[in-house]
Amino acid sequence: MTNRATRIDASMFDALPLGRDPQSVRKRIEAMEQLLEGMFTVPGLNRRVGLDAILGLVPVVGDIAAAALGAWIVWEARNIGMTKFQLARMGGRVGFDALLGLIPVIGDAADFFYRSNTRNLKTIKRHLDRHHPATVTIAN
């Protein structure tokens, strides 16, 4: 049984495509989610954490920066034609995560357990798999 990578695969960020096609958007969003939620694994807990949790340790400014990066994922989803309902739901997740992050200590714990960016990535992947099947990638 293999675990997910315990560190970031730098090659993932080397040549991110700049296009607006669904395949390019998918690669950029997956890379951003990896950066925000899965940079490394906490030893002993076997739990992935990323820039979102690290930024959450900086009061107010860090939470705003993490929310802005999460909002970028929602913006990319808008560019591939997701419905307003899906976008509102995704924006709500980012907003909820940002509001929780403003509460000292509780917000830091929430960043560790509530992964709005991972949930948004799953929503985007479902949309892409349904409406743009050529973008499907097989995960090992």
Side-chain angles (χ1 to χ4, degrees):
M1 185 163 126
T2 60
N3 290 334
R4 293 185 83 165
T6 56
R7 60 189 175 122
I8 273 189
D9 181 12
S11 65
M12 180 182 231
F13 300 104
D14 284 345
L16 287 176
L18 300 176
R20 293 180 55 128
D21 59 292
Q23 182 69 34
S24 298
V25 171
R26 182 182 195 121
K27 286 182 181 181
R28 285 194 306 266
I29 292 173
E30 287 173 346
M32 180 62 82
E33 188 273 339
Q34 178 72 23
L35 178 69
L36 290 172
E37 306 289 3
M39 286 176 60
F40 57 90
T41 302
V42 176
L45 297 178
N46 200 23
R47 183 83 172 165
R48 293 176 31 211
V49 294
L51 194 58
D52 188 17
I54 294 168
L55 286 172
L57 296 174
V58 179
V60 183
V61 176
D63 296 313
I64 292 171
L69 293 171
W72 177 81
I73 292 175
V74 177
W75 175 262
E76 284 282 23
R78 179 197 137 317
N79 289 338
I80 58 170
M82 293 185 70
T83 66
K84 289 181 182 181
F85 175 76
Q86 289 171 317
L87 295 173
R89 191 168 183 193
M90 291 170 58
R93 287 182 191 131
V94 172
F96 179 70
D97 189 19
L99 286 176
L100 279 178
L102 293 174
I103 303 169
V105 182
I106 293 172
D108 299 328
D111 282 336
F112 191 70
F113 293 107
Y114 183 73
R115 302 182 175 276
S116 62
N117 300 306
T118 301
R119 293 171 190 227
N120 287 344
L121 176 65
K122 287 180 183 178
T123 301
I124 293 168
K125 282 184 173 183
R126 274 193 304 266
H127 173 82
L128 287 171
D129 291 350
R130 186 174 303 126
H131 299 286
H132 304 282
T135 67
V136 174
T137 56
I138 299 173
N140 7 356

